[in-house]
Amino acid sequence: MPATVEADPTGPGGPGGPVDVVGLGESMVTFLPSRPGRLADVPSFTRTIGGAESNVACALAAAGHTVKWISRVGADGFGDHLVEAIGAYGVDTSAVRRDADGRPTGIYFRTATDRSTTAHEVAYYRAGSAASAMSPETMDRADLFSGRVLHLSGITAALSGDCLALMRELSERRAGRPLLSFDVNHRPALWRDDSGPRELLDLARGADLVFVGDDEAAQLWDLHSPEAIREALPEPAVLVVKAGADGATAFVRDPATDTGTDTVTSVPALAVDVVAPVGAGDAFAAGFLSATLRDLPTAARLRHGHLMAAAVLTDAGDVCVPPARAHADRLAALDDAAWGTLRLGPGWTSGAEEPGQRQEAVPTS
């Protein structure tokens, strides 16, 4: 598959044309703490939504793309809330199915700390959820292949044996499959055995575009450099290795040659005043996919990934309102020196200052 998404002559989302992106995966009702501290000490929570693929879908829709989210939810109030909240971002939820066998919508509670720290707590209530019943038999292939891009994550593979079978089927290279985007998204606690590293590696090898964190690759496969990760994953046309605050590196194979030679591009991350250190990976994927759909150069794709990640890091929830496209394009076009001095704070997505200055909330009065 090429590193770019083929243009749709009928127009994205237009009559007879596919949507830009289809995202498949579980979304849950998320309860955010009212203050920092252990879950045992938090007195109250705010209800919102969260799920890797739906986070990407919402961010892309808010950025102006046509997006469909496919999943299963319970025939319950939490399922109603999910479908309504995700649809409010402009995401097409018409292919979401309600479970008729009493399986509930998943929910989870989390602390306000960074997921990578030992202080971070997450309490999942998703075992036996409606989404865990997704399988090759319960999901419609026409819906799944109705976009220019199909975005998946490794979380779905860990939900159940049926979900894993569905993911294996979708990762098979076949005629008519859209560009397959896969975010490894390793969640050790979700796997029921020690098969996660092998399964996630196989799924990544079947994708056209792969996102993986350097910390994930070290934990999963004992790989400790972008080059080592690329050597283990030679099949995807595009491999993006994320290194948190140290930036990201993209390996892009030229589809016009059979030499296996990559163009390697690295872009440093931005300085950010973090409000909540959760959701940056999903947001980065959304920014990179948005720029890919627009056929921007690789460096711009990485910068748009960093900008979208900064938008969610400077907001309290897992999903945020992205900057206006013109604003993001101006920042992505900064020279290297200005990009290196840019610092983004809460509210930066609502306005713009001169390049190189600190980007913060801009008064509207």
Side-chain angles (χ1 to χ4, degrees), residues 5 21-23 51-61 63 65 67 149-154 179-185 209-213 216 238 240-242 248 279-294 300-312 318 320 322:
V5 183
V21 178
V22 171
E53 302 84 2
S54 62
N55 290 348
V56 172
C58 291
L60 284 168
H65 296 283
V67 188
V149 175
L150 173 60
H151 181 69
L152 310 172
S153 93
L179 186 143
L180 183 63
S181 167
F182 179 69
D183 192 336
V184 171
N185 244 328
L209 164 59
V210 172
F211 301 95
V212 63
E216 292 177 308
V238 180
V240 180
V241 179
K242 301 172 293 180
D282 301 333
F284 181 96
F288 191 95
L289 284 171
S290 175
T292 298
L293 287 160
R294 297 168 61 201
R301 299 181 194 190
L302 291 169
R303 284 192 171 190
H304 277 278
H306 287 315
L307 287 165
M308 195 76 86
V312 77
D318 289 7
C320 67

Side-chain angles (χ1 to χ4, degrees), residues 13 29 39 81 92 116 138 142 146 148 155 186 239 242 257 285 327:
V29 174
L39 286 179
H81 175 64
D92 179 353
S116 65
T138 61
S146 63
R148 299 165 64 196
I155 293 173
H186 181 41
L239 170 67
K242 301 172 293 180
T257 68
H327 183 25

Side-chain angles (χ1 to χ4, degrees), residues 42-336:
V42 175
S44 60
F45 297 81
T46 299
R47 185 186 66 175
T48 180
I49 59 173
E53 302 84 2
S54 62
N55 290 348
V56 172
C58 291
L60 284 168
H65 296 283
T66 54
V67 188
K68 179 185 291 185
W69 173 60
I70 299 176
S71 189
R72 290 172 63 88
V73 299
D76 50 36
F78 286 146
D80 293 341
H81 175 64
L82 274 180
V83 173
E84 292 168 4
I86 293 171
Y89 281 88
V91 176
D92 179 353
T93 60
S94 61
V96 176
R97 299 291 175 254
R98 299 295 184 128
D99 190 278
D101 298 319
R103 299 182 185 90
T105 303
I107 65 173
Y108 77 98
F109 298 76
R110 67 169 172 83
T111 56
T113 49
D114 190 334
R115 181 180 282 127
S116 65
T117 69
T118 57
H120 185 70
E121 295 177 71
V122 180
Y124 288 112
Y125 299 91
R126 71 196 308 180
S129 69
S132 71
M134 293 188 295
S135 71
E137 292 73 35
T138 61
M139 308 309 289
D140 185 273
R141 177 74 58 81
D143 283 331
L144 292 168
F145 283 13
S146 63
R148 299 165 64 196
V149 175
L150 173 60
H151 181 69
L152 310 172
S153 93
I155 293 173
T156 303
L159 296 180
S160 68
D162 284 342
C163 285
L164 178 58
L166 174 63
M167 292 289 288
R168 286 172 175 165
E169 182 174 291
L170 293 174
S171 67
E172 294 176 2
R173 298 183 186 275
R174 66 182 72 197
R177 188 185 79 172
L179 186 143
L180 183 63
S181 167
F182 179 69
D183 192 336
V184 171
N185 244 328
H186 181 41
R187 297 291 183 269
L190 293 181
W191 288 90
R192 298 164 301 284
D193 53 34
D194 60 359
S195 65
R198 182 185 70 255
E199 296 290 356
L200 291 172
L201 187 64
D202 287 345
L203 293 172
R205 285 173 170 163
D208 304 304
L209 164 59
V210 172
F211 301 95
V212 63
D214 60 353
D215 54 342
E216 292 177 308
Q219 183 179 20
L220 281 166
W221 309 309
D222 196 27
L223 301 173
H224 299 278
S225 71
E227 294 74 20
I229 299 169
R230 183 51 157 170
E231 185 175 350
L233 287 171
E235 295 88 354
V238 180
L239 170 67
V240 180
V241 179
K242 301 172 293 180
D246 293 327
T249 299
F251 296 82
V252 179
R253 184 150 303 145
D254 185 351
T257 68
D258 295 321
T259 62
T261 302
D262 286 319
T263 299
V264 183
T265 306
S266 296
V267 171
L270 293 164
V272 176
D273 296 331
V274 177
V275 172
V278 179
D282 301 333
F284 181 96
F288 191 95
L289 284 171
S290 175
T292 298
L293 287 160
R294 297 168 61 201
D295 201 22
L296 298 182
T298 303
R301 299 181 194 190
L302 291 169
R303 284 192 171 190
H304 277 278
H306 287 315
L307 287 165
M308 195 76 86
V312 77
L313 287 171
T314 53
D315 189 84
D318 289 7
V319 183
C320 67
V321 177
R325 180 172 292 182
H327 183 25
D329 283 344
R330 283 194 296 271
L331 295 179
L334 293 174
D335 60 37
D336 289 345

